[in-house]
Amino acid sequence: MRRNEDTPATLDLFADDAPPLSSTEQIGPCSFVLHGFALPLIDRLLPALESILQRAPFRHMVTPGGYTMSVGLSSCGQFGWTTDRSGYQYTPTDPQTGQPWPEMPLAMRELAQAAADAAGFADFNPDACLINRYIPGAKMSLHQDKDEHSYQWPVVSVSLGIAAVFLFGGHSRSDKSQRIPLFHGDVVVWGGEDRLRFHGVMPIKQAVHPLLGEQRINFTFRKAR
Ligand code: SIN
Ligand code: FE2
């Protein structure tokens, strides 16, 4: 359904008026949505994801406040992000298996570097990739990514599977957020003066993706150390 004058301008994730693939949308001074940027790599990304999850399956972590996250989490790379009652931290091993986190597959690293480059951040060399799994109803509350040692590198976020509405806020929690629909293959990059902006994901609407089924997978690449 295409919007017309009689239709209120609400977000309709099933509308065919999503921005064209391979267009770039600027959402902040140093923040961009690269529409469809991951699509050429999908055939390499999905098997890579499978093999990571065999070694480091999704788990629902508990925040320091005692809240169990609705999003399932895993990681790959030199460091993985974990949370428990004692706080948030990057660890070199998966606390669930005692093993190092699976290596970051080349296809994932290449994608993160190419996306950072396209957004103006040359030489991005991520050492951590968080992998989030959202099923319908799962959400991520507004937060800042601030557990990394330095904020000089951007965050590169890749969306796969069913659609989401990404909330991109300001520098304080109460700032109004932009609502940005993200589809399979979209990549968001934020860095520089936007690096610590609040962001989150609205509760995911029920849908089925032809490749990934009833789920949304998100990768966020960071330089943790
Ligand atoms: C995150 O902020 O860690 C995840 C963002 C997303 O799922 O798009
Ligand atoms: Fe985040």
Side-chain angles (χ1 to χ4, degrees), residues 161-183:
I162 64 179
V165 177
F166 182 61
L167 298 171
F168 195 56
H171 283 95
S172 65
R173 189 179 293 277
S174 58
D175 289 346
K176 195 169 158 41
S177 295
Q178 300 176 62
R179 294 178 172 210
I180 299 161
L182 293 179
F183 299 91

Side-chain angles (χ1 to χ4, degrees), residues 75-150:
S75 285
C76 68
Q78 225 179 320
F79 300 101
W81 186 86
T82 60
T83 169
D84 60 19
R85 291 305 301 246
S86 64
Y88 306 118
Q89 59 174 329
Y90 281 101
T91 59
T93 53
D94 177 349
Q96 197 162 278
T97 63
Q99 297 298 308
W101 293 101
E103 249 179 65
M104 190 182 296
L106 195 57
M108 290 173 67
R109 178 178 300 282
E110 282 174 12
L111 172 61
Q113 288 174 334
D117 222 50
F121 300 98
D123 303 320
F124 180 48
N125 188 20
D127 56 10
C129 175
L130 275 65
I131 305 171
N132 294 313
R133 174 178 191 253
Y134 299 75
I135 57 170
K139 65 177 172 74
M140 184 148 327
S141 309
L142 279 182
H143 66 279
Q144 295 166 293
D145 290 357
K146 58 176 188 187
D147 300 317
E148 298 72 31
H149 277 182
S150 152

Side-chain angles (χ1 to χ4, degrees), residues 140 143-145 155 190 199-200 220 222:
M140 184 148 327
H143 66 279
Q144 295 166 293
D145 290 357
V155 175
W190 63 96
H199 59 278
T220 51
R222 304 106 187 269

